Amino acid sequence: MAATTLVLPIREFLLSGLTATVVTFLLVGPVRVLALRLGAVAWPRKRDVHVMPTPRWGGLAMLAGVLAGVAMAYQLPALRLAFDNNASEVGGVLLAALLLSAVGALDDRYDLDALTKLAGQTTAAGILVIFGVQWTVFFVPWGGSDSTESGSLLVLGQEQGVLLTVLLTVALVNAMNFVDGLDGLAAGVGMIAAAAVGLFAIGLVGRVGNDPSVYSPALIAAVLAGACLGFLPHNFNPARIFMGDSGSMLIGVLLAAATTSASGKISIIGADGKDVLALFAPLIVLAAVVFVPLLDLLMAVVRRTRKGLSPFAPDKMHLHHRLLEIGHSQRRAVLLIYLWAGVLAFGAVALALIDDPFIVLWAVGIGLLVAVLASAIPRVRAPR
């Protein structure tokens, strides 16, 4: 209860995230020089918004920040329990992150084909499954027994769990890749999403009585949010470096790992009506934090297939491009997408953690109204 809340290792999670921030921020400069020397440069294309050649590989600095944040967590007695209880899970997540960052770095330099990248993404998802990061159960609000009046658990078979985990991971990785089209966009959305998942995961730790077995999703989210924060000053408009696929795919796989790890860790036994949203929470939070990139991804796939093109064929019709077309500046378009992502993500987390859903729904409704109005009005004319 109150005592349990007081011993939550929040400061330790923040310190791990701050370590990721500092290391990422400091390493972006050397990585930028390396990218320029080795030719990992984004040359402007017709569909691009930037007009100057810009080095990539910012994701490598982010990866270093994530690894440093995890290493810091390992040195902290309170978070060491996460490794004692979930050593294979954390190790599998880092291995998958290393693999996808490597694939992304090669793509940033040599422009790999879509099938090769898809193979890398599928392999990374397989690594998560092998190390125990896998969807195994869903809560459904029907079919409850006397002990679970609010619903029942839908237990997934091995093949179903593997398939769902792989599909979810590949979708998240590509969604973050698709949204990486304006300076600071993917880093900011990734930071907001990771912060929301981390907040939910810390709430989950408190709900289950500070059980160290559920520390891992909070740790993954904390170091990812920290790495995105450390990269953002170098990447916000005008960007001096891009994260490239090495960064966008890193964000996608870590978000997938954090949400998947958090799933199924609240027992349904004895759950009452107040716990329904918490039991649903991994799915609600996941849907909210990736709503903007996944919507962009789905619209792109539909748009391209209707034209008889490959779903991976590039174009200049993403959501951020549309915001630019109606008159928003790059910075304003990015901030608007931050607003949408933040309202949806933190609104979902609040629904899972706050007992009174009506207050949360009112606040989310007001936030969405503000987001709609701000998006619909491209700019306010400056007074003459």
Side-chain angles (χ1 to χ4, degrees):
M1 306 165 176
T4 303
T5 304
L6 291 175
V7 298
L8 289 177
I10 295 176
R11 289 180 299 179
E12 287 81 357
F13 284 125
L14 290 175
L15 180 58
S16 299
L18 181 60
T19 300
T21 300
V22 173
V23 170
T24 300
F25 181 82
L26 294 177
L27 287 183
V28 168
V31 166
R32 184 177 185 276
V33 173
L34 182 65
L36 289 171
R37 288 184 177 178
L38 298 183
V41 177
W43 297 93
R45 300 162 296 183
K46 284 184 75 173
R47 69 176 187 272
D48 291 330
V49 176
H50 71 282
V51 295
M52 297 291 292
T54 306
R56 293 168 170 163
W57 282 358
L60 298 182
M62 295 171 63
L63 174 64
V66 167
L67 295 176
V70 173
M72 172 59 74
Y74 187 75
Q75 303 302 317
L76 301 174
L79 296 188
R80 178 73 66 86
L81 297 173
F83 299 90
D84 294 340
N85 288 272
N86 295 292
S88 63
E89 186 173 294
V90 175
V93 172
L94 294 182
L95 183 58
L98 285 166
L99 172 64
L100 270 193
S101 291
V103 172
L106 290 174
D107 181 56
D108 292 337
R109 176 60 181 85
Y110 299 106
D111 197 17
L112 303 178
D113 61 272
L115 286 179
T116 301
K117 291 191 287 185
L118 181 61
Q121 295 163 9
T122 306
T123 303
I127 291 173
L128 294 180
V129 171
I130 291 171
F131 283 86
V133 183
Q134 177 182 336
W135 287 85
T136 56
V137 294
F138 279 111
F139 173 76
V140 291
W142 58 80
S145 62
D146 292 338
S147 61
T148 60
E149 295 179 359
S150 56
S152 61
L153 285 177
L154 176 62
V155 180
L156 301 175
Q158 179 66 22
E159 296 80 7
Q160 295 170 320
V162 170
L163 180 60
L164 180 60
T165 303
V166 171
L167 289 176
L168 174 64
T169 302
V170 171
L172 273 173
V173 168
N174 282 285
M176 292 309 305
N177 192 13
F178 273 48
V179 83
D180 186 22
L182 293 179
D183 295 350
L185 184 54
V189 170
M191 181 182 68
I192 292 168
V197 173
L199 181 60
F200 164 72
I202 291 174
L204 178 61
V205 171
R207 181 177 289 271
V208 298
N210 201 15
D211 184 352
S213 66
V214 297
Y215 279 11
S216 53
L219 175 59
I220 296 166
V223 296
L224 174 58
C228 291
L229 178 60
F231 181 69
L232 199 53
H234 300 277
N235 185 236
F236 202 73
N237 184 263
R240 290 177 289 166
I241 187 172
F242 294 154
M243 68 170 61
D245 279 13
S246 59
S248 61
M249 292 204 290
L250 173 69
I251 293 174
V253 73
L254 290 180
L255 281 178
T259 50
T260 302
S261 177
S263 69
K265 291 190 175 179
I266 299 178
S267 174
I268 192 173
I269 303 301
D272 57 24
K274 292 182 179 180
D275 291 324
V276 171
L277 285 172
L279 292 163
F280 261 130
L283 289 177
I284 296 174
V285 174
L286 175 62
V289 299
V290 299
F291 175 80
V292 173
L294 275 184
L295 176 63
D296 196 19
L297 172 62
L298 291 174
M299 290 174 62
V301 170
V302 172
R303 181 174 65 247
R304 294 165 185 174
T305 53
R306 286 182 62 183
K307 293 180 179 179
L309 301 174
S310 165
F312 299 100
D315 61 23
K316 202 170 183 179
M317 295 292 290
H318 291 293
L319 292 175
H320 48 270
H321 291 132
R322 295 173 185 267
L323 287 172
L324 294 178
E325 285 178 2
I326 65 174
H328 293 293
S329 66
Q330 276 203 53
R331 290 191 174 191
R332 185 179 173 87
V334 169
L335 292 174
L336 281 172
I337 297 177
Y338 287 177
L339 176 61
W340 279 99
V343 169
L344 291 170
F346 289 104
V349 172
L351 278 173
L353 299 181
I354 296 176
D355 289 338
D356 190 347
F358 296 103
I359 296 177
V360 178
L361 290 174
W362 271 104
V364 171
I366 293 172
L368 290 177
L369 178 61
V370 171
V372 168
L373 292 176
S375 301
I377 304 173
R379 56 185 170 224
V380 178
R381 294 181 180 275
R384 294 180 180 276

